[in-house]
Every structure is written in C-alpha cells, then in structure tokens.
Amino acid sequence: MKEPDFLLFASDATLIGLAGLAMLVLSFLAFMGERRRRNRRDIDAVGVLPWRDIAALTMLLGMMLMALAISGWLRG
C-alpha cells in the first residue's frame, strides 16, 4: 500500500499532532459511550468497558501529544 505524500514528507511534529488528534477523537467517542451507559434504561444492563477511564486516559494522552506537536510547530 502506497503511503500518501502528505504523510511521507510530514514533519515529526505533524505526525505527533495527527496521533494526538486521533487520541482526542477516541476520547470523545469514549465520553459518548460513558454518557450512553449512564443514561441506560435497564439498570442491570451494565457494560464491560470502563468508558470513563478510557476517556480520561486518552484525553490526557491526546493533550500531551498536541502540546508536544504545537511546540514543534512553533520551533519550525
């Protein structure tokens, strides 16, 4: 599979920024899963995944990666 040119010639800061963006999107999806679990109709239908923990950890990781990417972009 051929890698797209914008990824092939991207800087390290851009690749880290894309990873941070992916983590923030995953955090949003986990937040929506937690919201859905919290508002369930059947109180006994408990899910398996710890959505709150997943959302918190991916948010932290995404924010750290984005901060690293922004510092790299500002340095040039």
Side-chain angles (χ1 to χ4, degrees), residues 7-22:
L7 286 178
L8 187 62
F9 297 112
S11 67
D12 290 337
T14 302
L15 294 176
I16 290 172
L18 288 173
L21 182 64

Side-chain angles (χ1 to χ4, degrees), residues 6-63:
F6 75 93
L7 286 178
L8 187 62
F9 297 112
S11 67
D12 290 337
T14 302
L15 294 176
I16 290 172
L18 288 173
L21 182 64
M23 288 294 111
L24 291 175
V25 167
L26 182 61
S27 176
F28 177 75
L29 292 174
F31 172 74
M32 296 306 288
E34 171 64 21
R35 184 171 174 243
R36 184 172 175 228
R37 184 197 64 81
R38 195 175 1 127
N39 296 330
R40 66 186 183 271
R41 291 187 183 175
D42 185 11
I43 195 71
D44 293 328
V46 180
V48 178
L49 293 176
W51 291 115
R52 183 192 64 208
D53 298 339
I54 293 172
L57 291 175
T58 55
M59 176 68 76
L60 177 66
L61 183 60
M63 296 289 274

